[in-house]
Amino acid sequence: MNVWVTVKSLGKRKPALAKQATELPETTGTLRQLISNMVTLQVQALEDKKSQVEWLAYLMPEEIESQGATGKVGFGAVNNEGTLELQQAIETAVLAHEDGLYKVFVNEEEVHQLDGPLTLREGDELVFIRFTMLAGRLW
């Protein structure tokens, strides 16, 4: 099923990232499964990005403009050479939700319970809001 995913970090001056269409398995029936599926997709995307090596990297003016609209212009290189443990990443994401470091909304309704029933339909809008820790600056 296709859903729309938006990620927003409170405390950032730049707007939320654009909505992104994401393919989720039909078995996503709880918040824990949703988090697990999203982490799996992100880890897979990072691994795919690592495997795409460009020998000569350059940006066209259109790419600079489109990346500038999201707030960051770069070549998309991944400098971390380490391997990711998928299960550990999923456990960390679930723990972060339990600790209140981010909230999940489905069609503007917050989802609290990790193992409670979650009904997702084609075209639903998911929003992940990451809370920013305040440290080191007055404003």
Side-chain angles (χ1 to χ4, degrees):
M1 109 184 69
N2 285 321
V3 295
W4 294 96
V5 177
T6 303
V7 176
K8 173 69 177 146
S9 181
L10 292 181
K12 298 283 186 179
R13 292 190 175 125
K14 65 181 179 182
L17 299 175
K19 291 180 187 177
Q20 181 178 0
T22 303
E23 177 84 23
L24 288 177
E26 296 290 335
T27 59
T28 306
T30 64
L31 179 57
R32 186 180 304 273
Q33 290 172 338
L34 174 64
I35 292 170
S36 175
N37 291 335
M38 292 301 297
V39 169
T40 301
L41 289 172
Q42 293 300 310
V43 167
Q44 183 179 10
L46 182 62
E47 291 298 326
D48 291 346
K49 196 175 198 181
K50 282 183 181 181
S51 66
Q52 296 175 354
V53 178
E54 289 190 33
W55 292 100
L56 180 61
Y58 60 91
L59 295 174
M60 299 301 291
E62 301 83 30
E63 294 173 309
I64 294 172
E65 187 174 320
S66 68
Q67 289 183 20
T70 63
K72 180 180 178 185
V73 178
F75 293 105
V78 178
N79 296 326
N80 186 358
E81 296 296 325
T83 59
L84 294 172
E85 292 291 330
L86 179 61
Q87 193 57 39
Q88 183 180 5
I90 292 170
E91 290 170 4
T92 301
V94 170
L95 180 62
H97 183 270
E98 290 173 339
D99 289 345
L101 297 179
Y102 68 93
K103 299 287 183 186
V104 180
F105 293 84
V106 177
N107 296 326
E108 299 182 7
E109 294 291 325
E110 184 178 358
V111 182
H112 299 281
Q113 297 177 344
L114 282 169
D115 296 313
L118 177 66
T119 304
L120 292 177
R121 292 179 297 280
E122 185 79 21
D124 277 355
E125 186 173 324
L126 306 177
V127 178
F128 291 82
I129 299 179
R130 181 176 57 222
F131 297 108
T132 304
M133 298 300 152
L134 300 176
R137 288 181 25 180
L138 291 175
W139 30 75

